[in-house]
Amino acid sequence: MESLSQANHGPGSYTINLLFKHLLTTLLEVLRFSTLALVISLEAISVLQKWKPIFHFLLLSIFIFIFTIKPYFLSSTPVYLVDFSCFKPPDFCKTPFSLFLENASKIESFDKESVGFMAKILTSSGLGEETYLPPALHCVPPKPHQQESIKEAEMVLPPVMEDLLSKTKISPQDIDILIVNCSGFCPSPSLSAIITNKFSMRDDVKSFSLSGMGCSAGAIAIDMAQNLLKVHKNSYAVVLSTEILSTGWYPGHEKSKLLLNCTFRMGGAAILLSNKKEARKSSKYKLFFSVRNQRSFEDKSYVAAVREEDSEGKLGVTIHRDLLQIVGETLKYNVTILGEQILPTLEKFWHAVSIIRKRFFNRSEEIYVPNFKSVIQHFCLPTSGSPLIREMAKGLKLGEKEVEAAFMTLRRFGNQSSSSLWYELAYLEAKEMVKKGHKVWLLGIGTGPKCCSLVWECLRPIVGESNRGPWAGSIN
Amino acid sequence: MADITYICKRTVVSTKPVQPGKHFSLSVLDRLMEQNHLRFVYYFRAPGEIREPGELTEKLRESMSEMLTCFPIVTGRLMKNPEGQWMIKCNDAGVRMVEARIKGSVENWLKGVDREKELKLVHWEEMDHKPYFWSTFYVQITEFEEGGVAIGLSCLHLLADPTCASMFVKAWADMTLTGKMLNNPPLSHQLPPRGPAGRKNPSHDQPSMELINCYKSIADKTNLVSTDANHATIALAFSDPMVRAMAASDQSSPSPFEALAALFWVCISKLKGEGDGLIDMSVCSDMRSVLNLDNGFFGNCMVYNRVNSKNLKGQRLPDVAKAIGEVMSEMDKDGIIDLIEWLEHNDHQSPPTMNVCDLICASLEAVDPYLAVFEEDLIPVRVSCYVEPVVGVGHVLVLPSPPGEGPFSRVVMVTLPEDEAVRLCEDDLILSFSPTILMGVNN
């Protein structure tokens, strides 16, 4: 049974699938070209041989069908990212280390060892002193009630949605698709229902709430919106990403569960996508490529990050020690497919050569990691913590400049889970590093484990963002 | 009387971080007050519009965060410096806030309140074994279900005297009302040095010993008068004409504080069985104006001086008041600076407890709590002040009255052992000045 599931997965099968797709596309192209050649030669013969006019008509209709109508109907319209907004939490939610540790030491359920452990994690995490926690987590002890989480959701989502609507000058009634993702908190009515209620959206809006999908849920929601926009033409889709922390506080002793207490912080983002033709003029980005994969089929990877109760019945998310390695493996497959789609032929060639060399000649040799910087100019990596960012940078051969956005976002805002990627993009825009034609890679990795890559192409110059958005006042 | 429901306790942080590495050292006058803490309760009557429960608390919390950026000494934490003395490390740890709700209205509460009930409106925690994680300031916001709110503030006397505490609340009120601080942010903490001009009276080369002797005797007293009795606090309001009449005579016109201090000194001495004589008493007053300090000086600036009771046996009120006035005038700039220099020279490791041995009559007239207006119709209607712990003879605090009651009217809060407090309320001399009993002793 297991071997069966293994046979369907693994890197080999993806590559094979892709090669097969390549082969098919090439075959079809060859077929089209040969048909064109055949049609032209038949036309030439018919002119020379003076065949009946019906033949001309037949050949002409074949020509029109193969080369005009078919491509027109079968090509998909691109998905544009019109604009996006990030939530800037109010300043009274700031959480310096002194407040965090003092509150932790006053919570009766924590012992001295737990507080000491969290202090160590805080100082080595890469977080700064101005990250934000919701008001419920400033209480001693924190208030884990449903009402507090609803209040936090109402503090985060409506303002960021308002900001997006005013920036893009559309009204809530124009929205056709709404996707809200939040891993930890799942109320009824759902978070998307809270938004459709607050903004009085249309009765036929297609709303979805994604929960439990971890830090990759934001990128996955965009991928889902892209698929929906293939079916629904001429539409606007809004994706809201956030993580509601008020319910997620772990009050116990297990170190593997205390990690998220230290690094998770408030955040939220709203993204407007569209497949309308007129959106191209005003949009910032076009979705160039997206790919998602998961490793939940493998038991060891499946349990890398699990929300469960500890021995005392307290709920928390266990982060296993080999998470870094599992993330690496999940990322590897995702990157392989991404590379095969967007890397230049030369890089793919060297990569293939090194695989062959490793397989048949020298097993201990390292596989050549292609130079992604040759096609992608900007990288938005998951901000789960300094160690993870450094590992990914090492694995993808990225330098200081490429990881600047991730480290700065981690320092200023902490790990905001699914919405972090948008704060990183906002940072790059605020520093005016993103130019027209540049490609940006947003990489979401989360529990599952799941991985989703989105590559965007910048459509227009982006200026003046340093005065707006969450980085206003932080960047000189 | 309905019980209080405590909703939650939280830490309120300032909106802008302090630059790292900032410290505040404490002065000698601060270090003397280490064993004491202050408690204030501000009452506000219900504003016109009905609010959702918790709405006002949330607003006050947010404006407090803004205001705290100007008070890094309040959001910092105690640490010992290399000399083993307390100092404040400014680490932005914040202020502890307790939110509570209570049935009934402010008016009904004020009719039947006593010391025990009132202290429930002010949260306080004694220093625990980890001073670095212990908040020195506590705020409690109690919303009355039928309208009105009580704001309680408690703080360690080591950091602040009553003038500072009311400055803190006023800054908070200004921030809530206008969105900014109306006064300058509090200044640094250093007491003034002598200055190049030297003494005012150059013929006196010796330091003036009156103040120094007073502090010396307090430090030397080893047998502390400690009673097991419960203490009670009463609050009496004296109207403007009554205070004027109190100690007026042909020769002198004492200040309201001197008159009231004299009155209570005489009556309490009688209660304690001294007959015509007077028990040991020390007066205490704010010295900011004497030392030419800005009102924004944040730190202890109240100085004590003992009044010599020997020659006052059997004297009438005006003479007693006059004696008090003479003692107050001894507290001049030179005298205080001599005292400060002497204290710095003789810095003990464990400072004496100031408010224990004698009867203390403290003038809190420099404290103007009624300036703390949080909203257009959220004006304080009553303010109470406590200096804790009370273990000795007792104390008399003279506070200003709500505005509009005349410049000489005052509210006096007296804390004594319970039975003495009851008898004080029935004392003829006191009753002859028709005070309104704002807070009595409930049985």
Side-chain angles (χ1 to χ4, degrees), chain A residues 303-376:
Chain A
V303 298
V306 182
R307 176 180 238 146
E308 59 187 357
E309 280 155 2
D310 66 7
S311 51
E312 294 172 2
K314 296 182 179 142
L315 198 59
V317 178
T318 315
I319 305 288
H320 274 270
R321 229 167 273 162
D322 46 9
L323 181 73
L324 229 61
Q325 184 213 340
I326 287 163
V327 161
E329 280 170 28
T330 318
L331 183 58
K332 197 163 59 173
Y333 307 154
N334 192 286
V335 166
T336 310
I337 304 156
L338 183 74
E340 275 156 359
Q341 274 296 295
I342 68 171
L343 281 172
T345 318
L346 196 63
E347 296 286 337
K348 282 191 266 194
F349 175 72
W350 288 126
H351 181 67
V353 161
S354 86
I355 289 177
I356 293 166
R357 220 187 298 177
K358 183 180 169 91
R359 194 90 191 270
F360 296 110
F361 297 105
N362 188 356
R363 279 190 187 265
S364 60
E365 191 173 305
E366 285 294 315
I367 293 183
Y368 169 75
V369 176
N371 184 14
F372 282 95
K373 292 183 281 193
S374 56
V375 270
I376 296 175

Side-chain angles (χ1 to χ4, degrees), chain A residues 215-233:
Chain A
C215 303
S216 58
I220 287 175
I222 300 279
D223 187 68
M224 183 176 163
Q226 183 211 166
N227 287 327
L228 286 165
L229 286 172
K230 283 187 184 146
V231 177
H232 302 285
K233 302 290 174 197

Side-chain angles (χ1 to χ4, degrees), chain A residues 90-99 101-103 105-106 112 115 129-130 134-141 143 148 151 155, chain B residues 7-17 58 61-62 65-66 77 91-94 96 99 125 128 130 132-135 138:
Chain A
D91 282 339
F92 59 81
C93 291
K94 279 192 188 173
T95 309
F97 288 5
S98 54
L99 186 145
L101 292 171
E102 194 174 291
N103 272 17
S105 72
K106 297 252 172 265
K112 216 165 135 180
V115 179
E129 298 263 11
E130 291 186 74
L137 295 189
H138 281 206
C139 286
V140 182
K143 291 203 277 186
E148 291 298 321
K151 273 210 296 221
M155 188 193 267
Chain B
I7 297 172
C8 73
K9 180 166 48 161
R10 64 169 77 236
T11 308
V12 177
V13 71
S14 64
T15 51
K16 282 194 202 49
E58 206 174 301
R61 219 164 61 209
E62 291 171 23
S65 272
E66 283 292 334
R77 290 292 179 264
N91 65 350
D92 275 326
R96 215 74 79 213
E99 296 170 23
E125 288 172 20
D128 58 24
K130 273 195 290 226
Y132 193 62
F133 282 157
W134 178 69
S135 176
Y138 295 84

Side-chain angles (χ1 to χ4, degrees), chain A residues 118-139:
Chain A
M118 287 199 284
K120 221 170 50 174
I121 295 291
L122 267 183
T123 41
S124 62
S125 60
L127 265 76
E129 298 263 11
E130 291 186 74
T131 58
Y132 303 88
L133 277 177
L137 295 189
H138 281 206
C139 286

